[in-house]
Amino acid sequence: MNRKGILVVLSGFSGAGKGTIVKRLLSDYKQYALSVSATTRAPRPGEEEGKAYFFKTKQEFEKMIAEGAFIEYARYVDNYYGTPKEYVRQQLDAGRDVILEIEIQGARKVKEQFPDTLMLFVVTPDAATLKERLTGRGTESPDVIRDRLRRASEEAEGIEAYDYLVVNDDLDTCVAKVHALIESEHCRISRNTDYIKEMQKEMKSFCSR
Amino acid sequence: MNRKGILVVLSGFSGAGKGTIVKRLLSDYKQYALSVSATTRAPRPGEEEGKAYFFKTKQEFEKMIAEGAFIEYARYVDNYYGTPKEYVRQQLDAGRDVILEIEIQGARKVKEQFPDTLMLFVVTPDAATLKERLTGRGTESPDVIRDRLRRASEEAEGIEAYDYLVVNDDLDTCVAKVHALIESEHCRISRNTDYIKEMQKEMKSFCSR
């Protein structure tokens, strides 16, 4: 089977370990590509074009917005950040599963444009563990912690927009689990229609002989 | 997480290895239960009640039909065969994933009554391999072979009613794949609503303190 890549959204609470999971998927398996964002912020020392980001001027970025070149984009402080459609399409066509580590608002926009996106939400084993992770670093002010908890609570309200829940109890298990979820998704009937139609045709031909 | 069992329908072409896959799932993993059918046919020597079948008289069976006690049933030649609802419910409630090895007409009836049934369809790597397996035993008449091919072709037309396609290329890989598909299904958001609601509630409570 010539398989097409799957667009995978990985969301989850801050502190649930999304970033580590994504890194491990990219290093442990060859089939994954990380979506590279475009941004108008200046490159930091050592940041290569097309690795961490595609660097754009504000004018370029706004032109791309106008052309509908982004799956989703947002403005933080004075800079734009966006997911270029073209790059994602290329990777998917090359058979790579593209991972988008993104929060819920962005995830919803992605799902609108790519309805067969696989939507994964990573959680800590329970709310108390999450609270510990969000508050336990001991370096932030009560205000910052309160903001984080509020944001996490808002994100929790959006979980139903996702397809699967992944509990990050043990990292190795969790990475294997996410990989298995993506592999399973490749078996979905609706992702194998060409293969099925071909098989149906061949089998009909056996009967008519 | 206290997880509830999943009802799994396993269909596929005759010759694709369904029976072997089911046997391996039951022996390799503890979480599975095979649905035990009821029948009006007489027990064969060594067949224990409740193991291969629940043995019923015709009268008992028809009473069960009238009471809606079957998920699906059919009559072959002079005997009834059916899947008792009660047994399946008990196993699911005990957290066991129940496997139903069944053909497509039965599978459709199961899906109607248990809409969250996981529907798997097992295929040989390609139609030619299937043809080989169906014709290659060398013991059947051309008529029997033609019938088998026609039946397989009819079944192929129904594949789109299933959720996932499993290619049985190598048995070990295939068994692991089916197990992974079922494990993945346990992560589905809609199967974890209690857990999610609990987490949402707890996280709200952190914010209101």
Side-chain angles (χ1 to χ4, degrees):
Chain A
M1 274 193 264
N2 256 342
R3 66 184 208 180
K4 211 180 163 277
I6 293 175
L7 184 54
V8 181
V9 156
L10 196 84
S11 300
F13 303 127
S14 142
K18 293 187 298 286
T20 319
I21 295 166
V22 171
K23 266 188 212 129
R24 279 285 304 275
L25 285 173
L26 292 167
S27 71
D28 293 5
Y29 306 94
K30 281 186 186 153
Q31 75 201 54
Y32 299 112
L34 187 65
S35 161
V36 178
S37 298
T39 183
T40 55
R41 82 153 166 71
R44 289 177 193 145
E47 280 186 343
E48 277 173 63
E49 166 73 9
K51 285 279 247 172
Y53 288 101
F54 296 112
F55 296 98
K56 304 285 173 192
T57 64
K58 200 180 160 207
Q59 212 173 9
E60 285 169 337
F61 202 105
E62 288 176 346
K63 189 163 169 269
M64 285 176 76
I65 295 175
E67 291 166 353
F70 291 110
I71 302 181
E72 57 84 40
Y73 71 93
R75 195 170 175 151
Y76 296 115
V77 198
D78 264 349
N79 286 305
Y80 285 117
Y81 294 83
T83 306
K85 221 179 267 183
E86 184 56 23
Y87 178 81
V88 168
R89 281 246 170 81
Q90 279 168 3
Q91 299 293 324
L92 293 176
D93 288 343
R96 252 166 251 131
D97 298 323
V98 180
I99 304 180
L100 265 174
E101 190 195 328
I102 206 172
E103 38 58 77
I104 185 155
Q105 282 87 349
R108 285 215 170 100
K109 288 179 204 161
V110 173
K111 185 81 181 173
E112 271 170 38
Q113 291 196 52
F114 291 80
D116 58 356
T117 300
L118 178 64
M119 307 270 285
L120 309 181
F121 198 92
V122 183
V123 295
T124 45
D126 50 58
T129 309
L130 178 66
K131 199 187 173 189
E132 258 174 54
R133 293 199 196 161
L134 291 177
T135 59
R137 292 169 191 167
T139 48
E140 278 90 1
S141 71
D143 272 5
V144 169
I145 289 169
R146 206 174 302 122
D147 265 12
R148 268 197 202 147
L149 288 174
R150 194 180 306 122
R151 203 176 150 189
S153 179
E154 280 165 16
E155 290 204 319
E157 295 301 313
I159 293 183
E160 277 94 345
Y162 289 79
D163 299 310
Y164 297 97
L165 187 77
V166 189
V167 180
N168 187 5
D169 203 342
D170 165 75
L171 182 66
D172 284 338
T173 313
C174 181
V175 169
K177 183 97 237 171
V178 171
H179 178 64
L181 279 165
I182 298 168
E183 281 298 283
S184 291
E185 188 62 26
H186 276 287
C187 295
R188 192 178 290 282
I189 295 287
S190 57
R191 295 193 194 267
N192 291 281
T193 46
D194 290 351
Y195 179 84
I196 291 166
K197 284 201 189 324
E198 187 55 35
M199 184 169 242
Q200 290 169 337
K201 215 176 79 189
E202 277 184 72
M203 290 181 62
K204 253 193 191 149
S205 78
F206 294 151
C207 295
S208 60
R209 270 172 216 164
Chain B
M1 276 193 262
N2 254 343
R3 68 184 205 178
K4 214 182 160 276
I6 293 175
L7 184 54
V8 181
V9 156
L10 196 83
S11 300
F13 303 127
S14 142
K18 294 186 298 285
T20 319
I21 295 167
V22 171
K23 266 187 213 129
R24 279 285 304 276
L25 285 173
L26 292 168
S27 71
D28 292 5
Y29 307 94
K30 282 186 186 151
Q31 75 201 53
Y32 299 112
L34 187 65
S35 161
V36 178
S37 298
T39 183
T40 55
R41 83 152 165 73
R44 289 177 193 145
E47 278 187 345
E48 278 173 63
E49 166 72 10
K51 284 279 245 174
Y53 288 102
F54 295 113
F55 295 99
K56 304 284 173 194
T57 64
K58 201 180 159 209
Q59 212 174 9
E60 286 170 338
F61 202 105
E62 287 176 347
K63 188 162 170 270
M64 286 176 75
I65 295 175
E67 290 167 353
F70 291 111
I71 302 180
E72 57 84 40
Y73 71 93
R75 196 172 176 153
Y76 295 115
V77 198
D78 265 348
N79 286 306
Y80 286 117
Y81 295 82
T83 306
K85 221 179 265 181
E86 184 56 22
Y87 178 81
V88 169
R89 281 245 170 82
Q90 279 168 4
Q91 298 293 324
L92 293 176
D93 288 343
R96 252 166 251 130
D97 298 323
V98 180
I99 304 180
L100 265 176
E101 190 195 329
I102 208 172
E103 38 59 79
I104 184 156
Q105 283 85 349
R108 286 214 169 102
K109 289 180 204 161
V110 173
K111 185 82 182 173
E112 271 170 39
Q113 291 196 50
F114 292 81
D116 58 355
T117 300
L118 178 64
M119 307 270 284
L120 309 182
F121 198 92
V122 183
V123 295
T124 45
D126 50 58
T129 309
L130 178 65
K131 198 187 174 191
E132 258 173 53
R133 292 198 197 163
L134 291 177
T135 60
R137 293 170 191 166
T139 48
E140 278 90 1
S141 70
D143 273 5
V144 170
I145 290 169
R146 206 174 302 123
D147 265 12
R148 266 196 203 146
L149 288 173
R150 193 181 307 122
R151 205 177 148 189
S153 179
E154 280 165 17
E155 290 204 320
E157 295 300 312
I159 293 183
E160 278 94 345
Y162 289 78
D163 299 311
Y164 297 97
L165 188 77
V166 189
V167 179
N168 188 4
D169 203 342
D170 166 74
L171 182 66
D172 284 340
T173 313
C174 181
V175 170
K177 182 97 238 170
V178 171
H179 177 64
L181 278 165
I182 298 168
E183 282 297 285
S184 292
E185 188 62 25
H186 276 288
C187 295
R188 190 177 290 283
I189 294 288
S190 57
R191 294 193 195 266
N192 292 280
T193 45
D194 290 351
Y195 179 84
I196 292 166
K197 284 201 189 322
E198 187 54 35
M199 184 168 241
Q200 289 169 336
K201 214 176 80 187
E202 277 185 72
M203 291 181 62
K204 254 192 191 151
S205 79
F206 293 151
C207 296
S208 60
R209 270 172 216 164

